[in-house]
Amino acid sequence: MAEEDAPFGFRVRTSRGRQVIALRGELDILARQQMSAPLLTLVGEAAGEVYVDLRHMSFIDCAGLSLLCALRNRCRQRRRRLTLVSDDAAFSRLLRLTGLADTFTVVGCREVTETIGAEDDWEAIA
């Protein structure tokens, strides 16, 4: 199955000393099972701040939230900061309803462009 046809995936790049992980598609139990290990490794090896770009997510459930929590915990263990990138009101509502709104730092797309660079400026694809 081509990457574009897969129901989920991610790309990774380094921008201005920050690791940017762009998730796409559906972040559900299947995605969690298949992406947890590589994402936790990437976050664990990050040298600086980590940004998880959620702009291309079409769906997220409790398993997806669990993966985001695991990434946040890994960052905290390594004394790194994790920031989520999203302008999606439904995602913000999901965080509020699950009691996770204060757990994550979430920034909008416009706020983060200068910090992590343009979306099409990818150095590496995973």
Side-chain angles (χ1 to χ4, degrees):
M1 183 178 335
E3 179 183 331
E4 298 81 30
D5 297 333
F8 53 82
F10 66 94
R11 299 184 298 173
V12 180
R13 69 185 169 100
T14 301
S15 178
R16 300 177 181 143
R18 296 164 176 94
Q19 186 175 61
V20 182
I21 302 169
L23 303 178
R24 67 167 179 74
E26 301 173 0
L27 192 53
D28 57 12
I29 192 164
L30 180 61
R32 178 173 168 61
Q33 290 171 347
Q34 294 187 11
M35 294 194 314
S36 284
L39 288 174
L40 287 169
T41 298
L42 285 168
V43 167
E45 295 173 350
E49 293 178 75
V50 177
Y51 285 79
V52 177
D53 186 344
L54 303 174
R55 290 181 278 188
H56 300 287
M57 294 301 310
S58 58
F59 175 80
I60 185 167
D61 66 7
C62 60
L65 286 176
S66 173
L67 176 57
L68 293 177
C69 287
L71 295 176
R72 179 189 171 273
N73 292 343
R74 179 64 56 94
C75 281
R76 290 187 75 187
Q77 289 171 351
R78 303 284 194 252
R79 300 190 192 281
R80 303 285 182 249
R81 187 169 71 182
L82 177 82
T83 300
L84 303 180
V85 180
S86 177
D87 284 325
D88 188 341
F91 178 69
S92 296
R93 183 171 185 258
L94 179 64
L95 290 179
R96 280 192 314 276
L97 290 173
T98 57
L100 294 171
D102 294 331
T103 302
F104 292 101
T105 300
V106 182
V107 297
C109 302
R110 288 186 178 162
E111 298 171 58
V112 79
T113 301
E114 287 188 27
T115 306
I116 63 173
E119 187 175 357
D120 59 353
D121 183 25
W122 295 94
E123 296 173 6
I125 297 178

